[in-house]
Amino acid sequence: LDALKAQIGRLLAHLRTTNDYENTVIIFSADHGDALGAHAGLTDKSFFMYEETTRVPLYIKPAGGSAVARRDTRFVNQTDLHATILELAGVPRVVAESGHGRSLAPVLAGEPVADWPDHAVTEASGLAHTLFSQRMLRYGDWKYVFNCGDVDELYDLATDPHELHNVAVAPAPPTAATLGELRAKLAAWMERHDDKLLGSFRRMRRRAA
């Protein structure tokens, strides 16, 4: 970690030396987290969708030097970074967003975005030679995980931030309704994105769609 901070410091110092800092967009993020022994000794980054691996840092310094530091709680996918970088580089938004992401440029500019997605989805397909298809949907404080060939997971992160209690197993009536809602949201997302796992998801969770 110290080595990483040192290298970031070198880069920022260089930008200030060349007077390019204020006019440079800086984005700091990560492709995934790591379990690092969490949840009774899990390691690596696959076969589970816990917050330790799916929630990653995202810091963006816009160009111009006039932005006030603030924190935004909206969900962002890594595919949104692709669209954001394209638009900030001058690509028209309609082209930048032709893939699977939404540009964060209007959010960075403080513009109102009424239709920003209220959920985010993470995909996984296993690791190395071990195939294990998963889809995770975050909506509000809820996290729903579809494990293809295994049981579902559902966590209320407001009351269970460490994801210790999977309430998808024998859910009570209110939780069962939430589970159905999140399955329907995931099915709709999979259909919009032409997810090839949709057929299996519908067969295995027939009440989802």
mmCIF file of all heavy atoms in Angstrom, residues 74-121:
data_model
loop_
_atom_site.group_PDB
_atom_site.id
_atom_site.type_symbol
_atom_site.label_atom_id
_atom_site.label_comp_id
_atom_site.label_asym_id
_atom_site.label_seq_id
_atom_site.Cartn_x
_atom_site.Cartn_y
_atom_site.Cartn_z
ATOM 1 N N ARG A 74 -24.779 7.421 -5.376
ATOM 2 C CA ARG A 74 -25.386 6.648 -6.454
ATOM 3 C C ARG A 74 -24.509 5.461 -6.842
ATOM 4 O O ARG A 74 -23.287 5.499 -6.720
ATOM 5 C CB ARG A 74 -25.633 7.541 -7.673
ATOM 6 C CG ARG A 74 -26.887 8.379 -7.555
ATOM 7 C CD ARG A 74 -26.995 9.396 -8.667
ATOM 8 N NE ARG A 74 -26.167 10.566 -8.402
ATOM 9 C CZ ARG A 74 -26.363 11.751 -8.967
ATOM 10 N NH1 ARG A 74 -27.327 11.914 -9.847
ATOM 11 N NH2 ARG A 74 -25.589 12.772 -8.666
ATOM 12 N N PHE A 75 -25.163 4.395 -7.343
ATOM 13 C CA PHE A 75 -24.425 3.219 -7.776
ATOM 14 C C PHE A 75 -23.697 3.508 -9.083
ATOM 15 O O PHE A 75 -24.236 4.147 -9.985
ATOM 16 C CB PHE A 75 -25.372 2.027 -7.990
ATOM 17 C CG PHE A 75 -25.958 1.485 -6.719
ATOM 18 C CD1 PHE A 75 -27.327 1.521 -6.504
ATOM 19 C CD2 PHE A 75 -25.147 0.936 -5.739
ATOM 20 C CE1 PHE A 75 -27.879 1.022 -5.329
ATOM 21 C CE2 PHE A 75 -25.680 0.432 -4.567
ATOM 22 C CZ PHE A 75 -27.050 0.471 -4.360
ATOM 23 N N VAL A 76 -22.463 3.019 -9.178
ATOM 24 C CA VAL A 76 -21.667 3.167 -10.396
ATOM 25 C C VAL A 76 -21.070 1.814 -10.745
ATOM 26 O O VAL A 76 -20.514 1.127 -9.878
ATOM 27 C CB VAL A 76 -20.526 4.197 -10.199
ATOM 28 C CG1 VAL A 76 -19.643 4.258 -11.435
ATOM 29 C CG2 VAL A 76 -21.100 5.574 -9.886
ATOM 30 N N ASN A 77 -21.188 1.426 -12.010
ATOM 31 C CA ASN A 77 -20.536 0.217 -12.513
ATOM 32 C C ASN A 77 -19.229 0.598 -13.187
ATOM 33 O O ASN A 77 -19.056 1.736 -13.651
ATOM 34 C CB ASN A 77 -21.435 -0.497 -13.532
ATOM 35 C CG ASN A 77 -22.425 -1.429 -12.868
ATOM 36 O OD1 ASN A 77 -22.076 -2.192 -11.971
ATOM 37 N ND2 ASN A 77 -23.669 -1.384 -13.311
ATOM 38 N N GLN A 78 -18.310 -0.344 -13.275
ATOM 39 C CA GLN A 78 -17.055 -0.061 -13.961
ATOM 40 C C GLN A 78 -17.271 0.238 -15.442
ATOM 41 O O GLN A 78 -16.479 0.955 -16.054
ATOM 42 C CB GLN A 78 -16.086 -1.220 -13.769
ATOM 43 C CG GLN A 78 -15.554 -1.294 -12.335
ATOM 44 C CD GLN A 78 -14.692 -2.496 -12.097
ATOM 45 O OE1 GLN A 78 -14.857 -3.530 -12.741
ATOM 46 N NE2 GLN A 78 -13.753 -2.392 -11.176
ATOM 47 N N THR A 79 -18.337 -0.305 -16.018
ATOM 48 C CA THR A 79 -18.643 0.026 -17.409
ATOM 49 C C THR A 79 -18.977 1.513 -17.561
ATOM 50 O O THR A 79 -18.803 2.080 -18.640
ATOM 51 C CB THR A 79 -19.822 -0.814 -17.919
ATOM 52 O OG1 THR A 79 -20.917 -0.705 -16.986
ATOM 53 C CG2 THR A 79 -19.445 -2.273 -18.066
ATOM 54 N N ASP A 80 -19.426 2.146 -16.479
ATOM 55 C CA ASP A 80 -19.703 3.585 -16.532
ATOM 56 C C ASP A 80 -18.415 4.395 -16.701
ATOM 57 O O ASP A 80 -18.438 5.490 -17.269
ATOM 58 C CB ASP A 80 -20.428 4.043 -15.260
ATOM 59 C CG ASP A 80 -21.781 3.371 -15.087
ATOM 60 O OD1 ASP A 80 -22.430 3.080 -16.104
ATOM 61 O OD2 ASP A 80 -22.175 3.131 -13.939
ATOM 62 N N LEU A 81 -17.302 3.877 -16.201
ATOM 63 C CA LEU A 81 -16.037 4.593 -16.343
ATOM 64 C C LEU A 81 -15.614 4.671 -17.804
ATOM 65 O O LEU A 81 -15.058 5.682 -18.244
ATOM 66 C CB LEU A 81 -14.946 3.910 -15.512
ATOM 67 C CG LEU A 81 -15.163 3.886 -13.996
ATOM 68 C CD1 LEU A 81 -13.959 3.271 -13.304
ATOM 69 C CD2 LEU A 81 -15.419 5.288 -13.466
ATOM 70 N N HIS A 82 -15.865 3.618 -18.556
ATOM 71 C CA HIS A 82 -15.537 3.615 -19.990
ATOM 72 C C HIS A 82 -16.284 4.741 -20.700
ATOM 73 O O HIS A 82 -15.689 5.544 -21.443
ATOM 74 C CB HIS A 82 -15.895 2.261 -20.592
ATOM 75 C CG HIS A 82 -15.655 2.158 -22.061
ATOM 76 N ND1 HIS A 82 -16.664 2.332 -22.989
ATOM 77 C CD2 HIS A 82 -14.531 1.921 -22.768
ATOM 78 C CE1 HIS A 82 -16.168 2.200 -24.200
ATOM 79 N NE2 HIS A 82 -14.877 1.943 -24.105
ATOM 80 N N ALA A 83 -17.594 4.824 -20.458
ATOM 81 C CA ALA A 83 -18.400 5.873 -21.084
ATOM 82 C C ALA A 83 -17.979 7.258 -20.608
ATOM 83 O O ALA A 83 -17.963 8.221 -21.378
ATOM 84 C CB ALA A 83 -19.881 5.639 -20.792
ATOM 85 N N THR A 84 -17.618 7.362 -19.333
ATOM 86 C CA THR A 84 -17.205 8.647 -18.774
ATOM 87 C C THR A 84 -15.922 9.156 -19.417
ATOM 88 O O THR A 84 -15.825 10.321 -19.818
ATOM 89 C CB THR A 84 -17.001 8.520 -17.254
ATOM 90 O OG1 THR A 84 -18.213 8.061 -16.648
ATOM 91 C CG2 THR A 84 -16.592 9.847 -16.641
ATOM 92 N N ILE A 85 -14.930 8.283 -19.519
ATOM 93 C CA ILE A 85 -13.644 8.681 -20.100
ATOM 94 C C ILE A 85 -13.822 9.095 -21.555
ATOM 95 O O ILE A 85 -13.246 10.090 -22.009
ATOM 96 C CB ILE A 85 -12.627 7.528 -19.977
ATOM 97 C CG1 ILE A 85 -12.284 7.312 -18.501
ATOM 98 C CG2 ILE A 85 -11.380 7.810 -20.790
ATOM 99 C CD1 ILE A 85 -11.487 6.055 -18.231
ATOM 100 N N LEU A 86 -14.657 8.354 -22.287
ATOM 101 C CA LEU A 86 -14.888 8.715 -23.690
ATOM 102 C C LEU A 86 -15.503 10.109 -23.806
ATOM 103 O O LEU A 86 -15.059 10.931 -24.611
ATOM 104 C CB LEU A 86 -15.800 7.677 -24.354
ATOM 105 C CG LEU A 86 -15.186 6.314 -24.664
ATOM 106 C CD1 LEU A 86 -16.231 5.390 -25.267
ATOM 107 C CD2 LEU A 86 -13.995 6.457 -25.612
ATOM 108 N N GLU A 87 -16.532 10.392 -22.980
ATOM 109 C CA GLU A 87 -17.172 11.708 -23.088
ATOM 110 C C GLU A 87 -16.223 12.825 -22.659
ATOM 111 O O GLU A 87 -16.150 13.882 -23.312
ATOM 112 C CB GLU A 87 -18.456 11.768 -22.271
ATOM 113 C CG GLU A 87 -19.144 13.116 -22.409
ATOM 114 C CD GLU A 87 -20.525 13.189 -21.782
ATOM 115 O OE1 GLU A 87 -20.998 12.165 -21.245
ATOM 116 O OE2 GLU A 87 -21.127 14.272 -21.833
ATOM 117 N N LEU A 88 -15.484 12.612 -21.580
ATOM 118 C CA LEU A 88 -14.550 13.640 -21.131
ATOM 119 C C LEU A 88 -13.442 13.888 -22.157
ATOM 120 O O LEU A 88 -12.850 14.967 -22.198
ATOM 121 C CB LEU A 88 -13.937 13.242 -19.790
ATOM 122 C CG LEU A 88 -14.901 13.193 -18.594
ATOM 123 C CD1 LEU A 88 -14.167 12.741 -17.346
ATOM 124 C CD2 LEU A 88 -15.567 14.545 -18.368
ATOM 125 N N ALA A 89 -13.183 12.864 -23.001
ATOM 126 C CA ALA A 89 -12.168 13.012 -24.050
ATOM 127 C C ALA A 89 -12.729 13.654 -25.310
ATOM 128 O O ALA A 89 -12.000 13.843 -26.280
ATOM 129 C CB ALA A 89 -11.565 11.648 -24.386
ATOM 130 N N GLY A 90 -14.032 13.973 -25.304
ATOM 131 C CA GLY A 90 -14.615 14.675 -26.435
ATOM 132 C C GLY A 90 -15.537 13.857 -27.310
ATOM 133 O O GLY A 90 -16.089 14.379 -28.287
ATOM 134 N N VAL A 91 -15.742 12.586 -26.968
ATOM 135 C CA VAL A 91 -16.659 11.759 -27.737
ATOM 136 C C VAL A 91 -18.097 12.135 -27.381
ATOM 137 O O VAL A 91 -18.415 12.290 -26.194
ATOM 138 C CB VAL A 91 -16.417 10.256 -27.435
ATOM 139 C CG1 VAL A 91 -17.436 9.389 -28.151
ATOM 140 C CG2 VAL A 91 -14.995 9.865 -27.826
ATOM 141 N N PRO A 92 -18.975 12.325 -28.351
ATOM 142 C CA PRO A 92 -20.368 12.668 -28.037
ATOM 143 C C PRO A 92 -20.995 11.635 -27.110
ATOM 144 O O PRO A 92 -20.733 10.431 -27.221
ATOM 145 C CB PRO A 92 -21.043 12.661 -29.418
ATOM 146 C CG PRO A 92 -19.942 12.942 -30.380
ATOM 147 C CD PRO A 92 -18.717 12.287 -29.809
ATOM 148 N N ARG A 93 -21.829 12.114 -26.198
ATOM 149 C CA ARG A 93 -22.402 11.219 -25.189
ATOM 150 C C ARG A 93 -23.175 10.064 -25.802
ATOM 151 O O ARG A 93 -23.105 8.930 -25.317
ATOM 152 C CB ARG A 93 -23.320 12.008 -24.253
ATOM 153 C CG ARG A 93 -23.877 11.180 -23.081
ATOM 154 C CD ARG A 93 -24.672 12.040 -22.124
ATOM 155 N NE ARG A 93 -23.842 13.115 -21.598
ATOM 156 C CZ ARG A 93 -24.329 14.122 -20.877
ATOM 157 N NH1 ARG A 93 -25.629 14.194 -20.628
ATOM 158 N NH2 ARG A 93 -23.530 15.063 -20.422
ATOM 159 N N VAL A 94 -23.891 10.304 -26.875
ATOM 160 C CA VAL A 94 -24.675 9.240 -27.486
ATOM 161 C C VAL A 94 -23.768 8.120 -27.975
ATOM 162 O O VAL A 94 -24.151 6.942 -27.973
ATOM 163 C CB VAL A 94 -25.540 9.791 -28.642
ATOM 164 C CG1 VAL A 94 -24.661 10.307 -29.778
ATOM 165 C CG2 VAL A 94 -26.521 8.741 -29.140
ATOM 166 N N VAL A 95 -22.555 8.447 -28.380
ATOM 167 C CA VAL A 95 -21.586 7.438 -28.806
ATOM 168 C C VAL A 95 -20.904 6.815 -27.595
ATOM 169 O O VAL A 95 -20.719 5.595 -27.522
ATOM 170 C CB VAL A 95 -20.542 8.046 -29.754
ATOM 171 C CG1 VAL A 95 -19.503 6.999 -30.163
ATOM 172 C CG2 VAL A 95 -21.210 8.633 -30.984
ATOM 173 N N ALA A 96 -20.525 7.649 -26.630
ATOM 174 C CA ALA A 96 -19.844 7.161 -25.427
ATOM 175 C C ALA A 96 -20.694 6.146 -24.675
ATOM 176 O O ALA A 96 -20.164 5.205 -24.074
ATOM 177 C CB ALA A 96 -19.493 8.335 -24.517
ATOM 178 N N GLU A 97 -22.013 6.335 -24.721
ATOM 179 C CA GLU A 97 -22.911 5.449 -23.979
ATOM 180 C C GLU A 97 -23.492 4.345 -24.858
ATOM 181 O O GLU A 97 -24.476 3.706 -24.480
ATOM 182 C CB GLU A 97 -24.042 6.256 -23.354
ATOM 183 C CG GLU A 97 -23.564 7.237 -22.289
ATOM 184 C CD GLU A 97 -24.703 7.964 -21.599
ATOM 185 O OE1 GLU A 97 -25.819 8.000 -22.148
ATOM 186 O OE2 GLU A 97 -24.472 8.483 -20.493
ATOM 187 N N SER A 98 -22.877 4.091 -26.005
ATOM 188 C CA SER A 98 -23.408 3.058 -26.907
ATOM 189 C C SER A 98 -23.104 1.650 -26.411
ATOM 190 O O SER A 98 -23.633 0.675 -26.934
ATOM 191 C CB SER A 98 -22.838 3.244 -28.319
ATOM 192 O OG SER A 98 -21.413 3.153 -28.307
ATOM 193 N N GLY A 99 -22.241 1.530 -25.403
ATOM 194 C CA GLY A 99 -21.968 0.227 -24.813
ATOM 195 C C GLY A 99 -22.923 -0.056 -23.663
ATOM 196 O O GLY A 99 -24.112 0.240 -23.735
ATOM 197 N N HIS A 100 -22.399 -0.595 -22.559
ATOM 198 C CA HIS A 100 -23.249 -0.958 -21.428
ATOM 199 C C HIS A 100 -23.218 0.059 -20.299
ATOM 200 O O HIS A 100 -23.881 -0.132 -19.287
ATOM 201 C CB HIS A 100 -22.826 -2.323 -20.869
ATOM 202 C CG HIS A 100 -23.083 -3.463 -21.794
ATOM 203 N ND1 HIS A 100 -24.346 -3.796 -22.233
ATOM 204 C CD2 HIS A 100 -22.244 -4.336 -22.385
ATOM 205 C CE1 HIS A 100 -24.280 -4.833 -23.040
ATOM 206 N NE2 HIS A 100 -23.012 -5.187 -23.163
ATOM 207 N N GLY A 101 -22.466 1.149 -20.448
ATOM 208 C CA GLY A 101 -22.316 2.073 -19.333
ATOM 209 C C GLY A 101 -22.991 3.410 -19.542
ATOM 210 O O GLY A 101 -23.380 3.778 -20.652
ATOM 211 N N ARG A 102 -23.115 4.172 -18.452
ATOM 212 C CA ARG A 102 -23.620 5.542 -18.463
ATOM 213 C C ARG A 102 -22.479 6.475 -18.115
ATOM 214 O O ARG A 102 -21.710 6.221 -17.197
ATOM 215 C CB ARG A 102 -24.739 5.707 -17.428
ATOM 216 C CG ARG A 102 -26.042 5.021 -17.742
ATOM 217 C CD ARG A 102 -26.860 5.807 -18.761
ATOM 218 N NE ARG A 102 -27.174 7.147 -18.303
ATOM 219 C CZ ARG A 102 -28.273 7.466 -17.607
ATOM 220 N NH1 ARG A 102 -29.151 6.530 -17.273
ATOM 221 N NH2 ARG A 102 -28.507 8.730 -17.263
ATOM 222 N N SER A 103 -22.391 7.585 -18.820
ATOM 223 C CA SER A 103 -21.340 8.551 -18.541
ATOM 224 C C SER A 103 -21.631 9.300 -17.246
ATOM 225 O O SER A 103 -22.756 9.749 -16.998
ATOM 226 C CB SER A 103 -21.217 9.544 -19.698
ATOM 227 O OG SER A 103 -20.324 10.586 -19.353
ATOM 228 N N LEU A 104 -20.585 9.454 -16.438
ATOM 229 C CA LEU A 104 -20.688 10.212 -15.194
ATOM 230 C C LEU A 104 -20.421 11.703 -15.396
ATOM 231 O O LEU A 104 -20.447 12.465 -14.432
ATOM 232 C CB LEU A 104 -19.676 9.673 -14.171
ATOM 233 C CG LEU A 104 -20.013 8.326 -13.533
ATOM 234 C CD1 LEU A 104 -18.756 7.690 -12.969
ATOM 235 C CD2 LEU A 104 -21.054 8.499 -12.454
ATOM 236 N N ALA A 105 -20.162 12.112 -16.632
ATOM 237 C CA ALA A 105 -19.834 13.516 -16.902
ATOM 238 C C ALA A 105 -20.889 14.479 -16.352
ATOM 239 O O ALA A 105 -20.520 15.477 -15.706
ATOM 240 C CB ALA A 105 -19.620 13.735 -18.391
ATOM 241 N N PRO A 106 -22.183 14.250 -16.557
ATOM 242 C CA PRO A 106 -23.159 15.190 -15.991
ATOM 243 C C PRO A 106 -23.181 15.180 -14.466
ATOM 244 O O PRO A 106 -23.417 16.209 -13.836
ATOM 245 C CB PRO A 106 -24.495 14.719 -16.574
ATOM 246 C CG PRO A 106 -24.267 13.305 -16.973
ATOM 247 C CD PRO A 106 -22.836 13.222 -17.388
ATOM 248 N N VAL A 107 -22.913 14.027 -13.862
ATOM 249 C CA VAL A 107 -22.853 13.947 -12.398
ATOM 250 C C VAL A 107 -21.668 14.758 -11.888
ATOM 251 O O VAL A 107 -21.776 15.508 -10.907
ATOM 252 C CB VAL A 107 -22.737 12.477 -11.941
ATOM 253 C CG1 VAL A 107 -22.580 12.393 -10.429
ATOM 254 C CG2 VAL A 107 -23.959 11.674 -12.391
ATOM 255 N N LEU A 108 -20.522 14.636 -12.563
ATOM 256 C CA LEU A 108 -19.336 15.387 -12.160
ATOM 257 C C LEU A 108 -19.557 16.884 -12.304
ATOM 258 O O LEU A 108 -19.016 17.683 -11.525
ATOM 259 C CB LEU A 108 -18.133 14.960 -13.004
ATOM 260 C CG LEU A 108 -17.687 13.504 -12.857
ATOM 261 C CD1 LEU A 108 -16.565 13.195 -13.838
ATOM 262 C CD2 LEU A 108 -17.243 13.218 -11.435
ATOM 263 N N ALA A 109 -20.351 17.271 -13.302
ATOM 264 C CA ALA A 109 -20.621 18.683 -13.541
ATOM 265 C C ALA A 109 -21.713 19.227 -12.623
ATOM 266 O O ALA A 109 -22.026 20.418 -12.670
ATOM 267 C CB ALA A 109 -21.017 18.896 -15.000
ATOM 268 N N GLY A 110 -22.309 18.357 -11.809
ATOM 269 C CA GLY A 110 -23.362 18.799 -10.903
ATOM 270 C C GLY A 110 -24.708 18.963 -11.563
ATOM 271 O O GLY A 110 -25.614 19.584 -10.987
ATOM 272 N N GLU A 111 -24.861 18.406 -12.758
ATOM 273 C CA GLU A 111 -26.131 18.509 -13.460
ATOM 274 C C GLU A 111 -27.129 17.494 -12.889
ATOM 275 O O GLU A 111 -26.748 16.401 -12.471
ATOM 276 C CB GLU A 111 -25.936 18.230 -14.958
ATOM 277 C CG GLU A 111 -24.979 19.180 -15.640
ATOM 278 C CD GLU A 111 -24.686 18.754 -17.070
ATOM 279 O OE1 GLU A 111 -25.361 17.825 -17.562
ATOM 280 O OE2 GLU A 111 -23.771 19.335 -17.689
ATOM 281 N N PRO A 112 -28.417 17.818 -12.849
ATOM 282 C CA PRO A 112 -29.409 16.855 -12.370
ATOM 283 C C PRO A 112 -29.571 15.702 -13.363
ATOM 284 O O PRO A 112 -29.654 15.919 -14.568
ATOM 285 C CB PRO A 112 -30.699 17.683 -12.267
ATOM 286 C CG PRO A 112 -30.495 18.807 -13.231
ATOM 287 C CD PRO A 112 -29.018 19.116 -13.224
ATOM 288 N N VAL A 113 -29.561 14.480 -12.844
ATOM 289 C CA VAL A 113 -29.751 13.295 -13.679
ATOM 290 C C VAL A 113 -30.876 12.486 -13.039
ATOM 291 O O VAL A 113 -30.653 11.687 -12.125
ATOM 292 C CB VAL A 113 -28.465 12.452 -13.777
ATOM 293 C CG1 VAL A 113 -28.675 11.285 -14.739
ATOM 294 C CG2 VAL A 113 -27.291 13.307 -14.232
ATOM 295 N N ALA A 114 -32.082 12.698 -13.513
ATOM 296 C CA ALA A 114 -33.258 12.113 -12.857
ATOM 297 C C ALA A 114 -33.371 10.611 -13.093
ATOM 298 O O ALA A 114 -33.955 9.895 -12.275
ATOM 299 C CB ALA A 114 -34.524 12.817 -13.355
ATOM 300 N N ASP A 115 -32.825 10.124 -14.212
ATOM 301 C CA ASP A 115 -33.041 8.727 -14.563
ATOM 302 C C ASP A 115 -31.817 7.853 -14.311
ATOM 303 O O ASP A 115 -31.660 6.801 -14.933
ATOM 304 C CB ASP A 115 -33.449 8.600 -16.037
ATOM 305 C CG ASP A 115 -32.359 9.100 -16.983
ATOM 306 O OD1 ASP A 115 -31.476 9.860 -16.530
ATOM 307 O OD2 ASP A 115 -32.390 8.727 -18.173
ATOM 308 N N TRP A 116 -30.930 8.268 -13.386
ATOM 309 C CA TRP A 116 -29.776 7.421 -13.096
ATOM 310 C C TRP A 116 -30.253 6.098 -12.500
ATOM 311 O O TRP A 116 -31.158 6.084 -11.668
ATOM 312 C CB TRP A 116 -28.826 8.120 -12.121
ATOM 313 C CG TRP A 116 -27.505 7.407 -12.027
ATOM 314 C CD1 TRP A 116 -27.135 6.488 -11.100
ATOM 315 C CD2 TRP A 116 -26.410 7.539 -12.930
ATOM 316 N NE1 TRP A 116 -25.861 6.038 -11.345
ATOM 317 C CE2 TRP A 116 -25.386 6.662 -12.479
ATOM 318 C CE3 TRP A 116 -26.177 8.309 -14.072
ATOM 319 C CZ2 TRP A 116 -24.158 6.541 -13.120
ATOM 320 C CZ3 TRP A 116 -24.955 8.182 -14.716
ATOM 321 C CH2 TRP A 116 -23.961 7.306 -14.236
ATOM 322 N N PRO A 117 -29.688 4.950 -12.914
ATOM 323 C CA PRO A 117 -30.168 3.646 -12.425
ATOM 324 C C PRO A 117 -30.153 3.560 -10.903
ATOM 325 O O PRO A 117 -29.221 4.037 -10.250
ATOM 326 C CB PRO A 117 -29.161 2.662 -13.052
ATOM 327 C CG PRO A 117 -28.654 3.363 -14.269
ATOM 328 C CD PRO A 117 -28.598 4.822 -13.906
ATOM 329 N N ASP A 118 -31.188 2.933 -10.352
ATOM 330 C CA ASP A 118 -31.288 2.793 -8.901
ATOM 331 C C ASP A 118 -30.693 1.472 -8.417
ATOM 332 O O ASP A 118 -30.839 1.100 -7.258
ATOM 333 C CB ASP A 118 -32.753 2.898 -8.446
ATOM 334 C CG ASP A 118 -33.644 1.803 -9.046
ATOM 335 O OD1 ASP A 118 -33.144 0.917 -9.781
ATOM 336 O OD2 ASP A 118 -34.865 1.841 -8.787
ATOM 337 N N HIS A 119 -30.018 0.750 -9.312
ATOM 338 C CA HIS A 119 -29.397 -0.512 -8.931
ATOM 339 C C HIS A 119 -28.140 -0.732 -9.770
ATOM 340 O O HIS A 119 -27.911 -0.045 -10.766
ATOM 341 C CB HIS A 119 -30.370 -1.675 -9.120
ATOM 342 C CG HIS A 119 -30.852 -1.848 -10.530
ATOM 343 N ND1 HIS A 119 -31.867 -1.071 -11.065
ATOM 344 C CD2 HIS A 119 -30.443 -2.652 -11.540
ATOM 345 C CE1 HIS A 119 -32.070 -1.412 -12.324
ATOM 346 N NE2 HIS A 119 -31.221 -2.369 -12.648
ATOM 347 N N ALA A 120 -27.321 -1.675 -9.330
ATOM 348 C CA ALA A 120 -26.105 -2.032 -10.061
ATOM 349 C C ALA A 120 -25.968 -3.549 -10.047
ATOM 350 O O ALA A 120 -26.397 -4.220 -9.092
ATOM 351 C CB ALA A 120 -24.883 -1.385 -9.419
ATOM 352 N N VAL A 121 -25.355 -4.084 -11.097
ATOM 353 C CA VAL A 121 -25.202 -5.538 -11.237
ATOM 354 C C VAL A 121 -23.734 -5.879 -11.425
ATOM 355 O O VAL A 121 -23.012 -5.189 -12.158
ATOM 356 C CB VAL A 121 -26.027 -6.074 -12.422
ATOM 357 C CG1 VAL A 121 -25.750 -7.560 -12.652
ATOM 358 C CG2 VAL A 121 -27.513 -5.845 -12.177
#
